[in-house]
Amino acid sequence: SAVISQKPSRDICQRGTSLTIQCQVDSQVTMMFWYRQQPGQSLTLIATANQGSEATYESGFVIDKFPISRPNLTFSTLTVSNMSPEDSSIYLCSVAGTGYGMDIQYFGAGTRLSVL
Amino acid sequence: KQEVTQIPAALSVPEGENLVLNCSFTDSAIYNLQWFRQDPGKGLTSLLLIQSSQREQTSGRLNASLDKSSGRSTLYIAASQPGDSATYLCAVPNRDDKIIFGKGTRLHILP
């Protein structure tokens, strides 16, 4: 199993500001994922973060809005930039070990973001 | 394009009852299916992972089945308890290895 620590657990931010969410894993993992869950909706993948390369963004998400860092195999950050109320969501990081498709996917506790 | 549907969207049952949550997916070319639990405002907890070669998995009072050919999975919860109240999500990988989630079933167990 993997233990994921995600910070902050929640935050209330002003429009136009940025927030960086941190995700720390207790073991080295190849792939880390960032998801968004808007109110009443299921999870949507924002991007996949691989160590040593640029993150891969899903349709509808761009690097300028959601820059991601992956400096090593146990840590990643997601920044929500120039926030608007529409960015109010729960943001979750997730990891899978080797053999991505066959492994259980583990999630952090999430960051609940409210933008005023 | 893989799509995942969960029925019902919400369910309330008295404590002690057995219940079934349903999940269907449009592309049967999957290699696993996973059931998660999400408590309000929290992250996800993995409950059961079924590989494509398996038909079911059991963990305690939970039993998940998988029928790839019909694109369906069920999560059976026996002897439900108030602590089982949560949202249950199923998820499958698509052909690009991205995980696709259903919208979940909000379960409320009445004491």
Side-chain angles (χ1 to χ4, degrees):
Chain A
S1 65
V3 177
I4 303 171
S5 300
Q6 194 173 332
K7 296 179 182 179
S9 59
R10 60 193 311 150
D11 207 342
I12 301 172
C13 301
Q14 295 296 322
R15 181 195 298 260
T17 62
S18 298
L19 175 71
T20 296
I21 302 168
Q22 300 179 3
C23 182
Q24 178 76 50
V25 189
D26 67 344
S27 58
Q28 294 184 339
V29 293
T30 304
M31 302 173 77
M32 297 180 75
F33 308 92
W34 288 97
Y35 289 84
R36 179 175 74 181
Q37 185 178 30
Q38 295 178 300
Q41 302 296 314
S42 187
L43 276 73
T44 302
L45 180 64
I46 298 172
T48 302
N50 296 320
Q51 194 269 335
S53 64
E54 294 267 341
T56 303
Y57 289 82
E58 298 300 304
S59 175
F61 297 96
V62 295
I63 188 171
D64 289 346
K65 176 67 175 177
F66 297 101
I68 289 172
S69 77
R70 183 79 200 274
N72 56 52
L73 290 173
T74 64
F75 187 78
S76 178
T77 66
L78 169 76
T79 298
V80 186
S81 303
N82 188 24
M83 288 184 284
S84 66
E86 291 71 34
D87 294 321
S88 298
S89 296
I90 297 175
Y91 292 85
L92 298 106
C93 75
S94 169
V95 303
T98 58
Y100 164 71
M102 300 292 287
D103 282 349
I104 293 175
Q105 197 165 1
Y106 297 92
F107 285 80
T111 296
R112 179 182 286 276
L113 172 60
S114 298
V115 183
L116 305 178
Chain B
K1 177 185 176 184
Q2 179 71 273
E3 294 181 359
V4 180
T5 303
Q6 290 187 246
I7 295 173
L11 181 64
S12 293
V13 299
E15 179 179 3
E17 285 199 4
N18 304 324
L19 58 99
V20 175
L21 308 181
N22 297 292
C23 172
S24 62
F25 45 94
T26 54
D27 185 350
S28 62
I30 62 171
Y31 37 76
N32 65 39
L33 180 145
Q34 198 163 348
W35 282 93
F36 293 89
R37 168 185 172 138
Q38 186 179 29
D39 292 286
K42 303 293 186 181
L44 276 66
T45 301
S46 177
L47 296 174
L48 290 162
L49 174 73
I50 310 177
Q51 307 292 359
S52 60
S53 58
Q54 299 173 319
R55 293 192 65 84
E56 65 178 64
Q57 278 283 347
T58 298
S59 175
R61 294 183 291 108
L62 304 180
N63 176 276
S65 69
L66 175 63
D67 184 343
K68 276 187 59 177
S69 60
S70 66
R72 294 179 183 180
S73 175
T74 62
L75 179 66
Y76 175 83
I77 302 177
S80 58
Q81 302 172 358
D84 295 329
S85 298
T87 296
Y88 292 80
L89 298 110
C90 75
V92 295
N94 68 5
R95 291 177 186 262
D96 296 325
D97 277 349
K98 303 297 192 299
I99 301 296
I100 308 298
F101 287 83
K103 290 188 175 182
T105 294
R106 294 187 309 280
L107 176 64
H108 182 50
I109 305 300
L110 305 169

